[in-house]
Amino acid sequence: MDGSHDLTQLDPRYKSMMRLVYSIPAVLLVIASTIAEVAIPGWTGVVWVPALLLAIFLVVYLPMRRFSTRGYSLAEERLRVVRGVMFRSDTVVPFGRVQHIDVDRGPLERMFGLATVTVHTAGSHNASVSLGGLAHEDALAMREEIRTAIRRDTQ
């Protein structure tokens, strides 16, 4: 169960969407550091260079890292979602515990053709599990696969 080789990766467009999301604070950071550089005479590069390096880290490295550490598996009547860069999370949801399933698409997800599947379960601890970064068609297919399994179990 701890092997990640059997996991399905998210849609590659998720990296592009995350780059866009992280570019907003990166641009603000570069603008603020440029203003600080102008305000501090004689300290050329002291604020701007570290801010630029942090902005590059945010826009280039972090989305790739988040993408590579996320995945899911639909097998054996269960959904397994693995995520986390520093703090790893491996969540398994048996289909028998599923109450309902949502497929959500925000403005950026629509722009990139992505969707988020949220599986709501019975119980109070971790009552819902979200999986973002799926192609919209894959999210709809996942919802139908879980619905079919639930119907089969209840009949």
Side-chain angles (χ1 to χ4, degrees):
M1 178 90 95
D2 54 343
S4 61
H5 62 279
D6 60 339
L7 296 177
T8 304
Q9 279 197 319
L10 303 178
D11 192 283
R13 294 175 289 186
Y14 181 68
K15 286 188 282 190
S16 300
M17 187 184 83
M18 293 309 302
R19 282 195 176 103
L20 180 61
V21 168
Y22 287 131
S23 67
I24 296 167
V27 166
L28 294 175
L29 178 66
V30 170
I31 290 171
S33 65
T34 302
I35 292 170
E37 282 288 326
V38 171
I40 305 172
W43 286 42
T44 306
V46 172
V47 177
W48 198 75
V49 170
L52 185 62
L53 292 174
L54 181 59
I56 291 170
F57 173 81
L58 283 174
V59 174
V60 176
Y61 177 75
L62 206 53
M64 287 188 319
R65 181 74 175 140
R66 284 190 70 180
F67 177 79
S68 68
T69 59
R70 292 175 178 229
Y72 69 96
S73 170
L74 271 176
E76 303 168 10
E77 299 288 313
R78 64 182 175 80
L79 169 66
R80 178 179 176 210
V81 178
V82 178
R83 66 177 147 236
V85 175
M86 291 181 61
F87 300 98
R88 298 285 292 168
S89 170
D90 190 342
T91 307
V92 177
V93 179
F95 289 168
R97 307 259 315 151
V98 173
Q99 297 291 314
H100 66 279
I101 308 150
D102 295 327
V103 175
D104 301 315
R105 299 179 76 195
L108 286 178
E109 288 175 316
R110 282 193 306 271
M111 188 169 95
F112 284 94
L114 301 173
T116 298
V117 171
T118 304
V119 177
H120 300 276
T121 62
S124 60
H125 180 69
N126 290 333
S128 64
V129 176
S130 292
L131 177 61
L134 296 171
H136 185 240
E137 304 80 33
D138 293 343
L140 295 175
M142 179 184 290
R143 179 178 66 186
E144 289 308 312
E145 184 176 342
I146 295 172
R147 277 185 184 168
T148 303
I150 292 170
R151 273 191 226 120
R152 192 174 48 241
D153 288 345
T154 58
Q155 293 178 355

